[in-house]
Amino acid sequence: MTISLSGQSVLIVGAGGGVGRAALETFARQGAIVTAAGRPGDALSTAAAAAGVAPTPLDFLDNDAVEAFFAAHAPFDHVVIAAASTKSGSVAGLDLDAAKAAMESKFWGAYRVARAAKVNPGGSITLVSGFLSHRPSAGAVLQGAINAALEALGRGLALERAPVRVNTVSPGLVNTPLWQGMSEEARDGMFERTAARLPAGRIGQPEDIASAILFVATNPFATGSTITVDGGGTIA
């Protein structure tokens, strides 16, 4: 798919993560003027350098910082929110502080950015949820609930923010740095078992999700949609 975004401004929040970095590089290849935002650190700096831009520190857990950021910038054409840090676990097994922190990060973080973002008419906001909203897991109940909340937020914002378009991309299992905390053996085993049961025959790569983000961001008829990109995980 060849799309020219020459001269259009795109903000990627969470550009240091796997999906965020892939989205940053994807939009940059289409000629967009990209802003790589996220928590400062090596991951953000490396992602920004790969896209040929300077890193932009932004803590989306800090509402004052989020509002100050958008007050200091002209409206963007597209905003992608791909930042989150959550712990997995059952409702009974995950302590309340960790559960609240997960909600604070993935849901309220996206909420803050979407609330404050200045976007040109006809532009877009894209949220990133996850297929657990439709295929629950006993070991990740909270993640499913947060993802479902994000998808509902996206549908409502599509009405509130029109003519700005708002969509959500829902990935399945994707090979990102999120899994680096596992041993290589355990991680590879999980990937192999998942790939074996998926109709697509493989797990996702960040570029797969970035392509879907680019699609909804640039399709003028896409708004209020949730695009599932999970290799068939929801139906398998």
Side-chain angles (χ1 to χ4, degrees), residues 39 60-61 83-91 94-112 128-129 132 139-150 178:
R39 290 188 174 184
F60 78 162
L61 300 182
S85 176
T86 64
K87 287 187 177 181
S88 185
S90 64
V91 170
L94 196 64
D95 68 73
L96 284 177
D97 286 341
K100 289 177 181 178
M103 191 74 177
E104 181 69 18
S105 175
K106 189 165 187 180
F107 178 80
W108 286 111
Y111 187 101
R112 290 184 195 95
V128 178
S129 60
L132 290 174
V141 174
L142 178 62
Q143 277 72 15
I146 294 172
N147 291 336
L150 276 172
L178 173 68

Side-chain angles (χ1 to χ4, degrees), residues 46-131:
T46 301
V53 298
T56 300
L58 177 62
D59 183 359
F60 78 162
L61 300 182
D62 183 339
N63 190 64
D64 290 342
V66 171
E67 292 188 350
F69 172 85
F70 285 107
H73 288 78
F76 292 91
D77 292 303
H78 304 286
V79 174
V80 178
I81 308 169
S85 176
T86 64
K87 287 187 177 181
S88 185
S90 64
V91 170
L94 196 64
D95 68 73
L96 284 177
D97 286 341
K100 289 177 181 178
M103 191 74 177
E104 181 69 18
S105 175
K106 189 165 187 180
F107 178 80
W108 286 111
Y111 187 101
R112 290 184 195 95
V113 174
R115 176 177 179 270
K118 294 188 298 185
V119 183
N120 288 319
S124 73
I125 298 172
T126 304
L127 311 176
V128 178
S129 60
F131 84 132

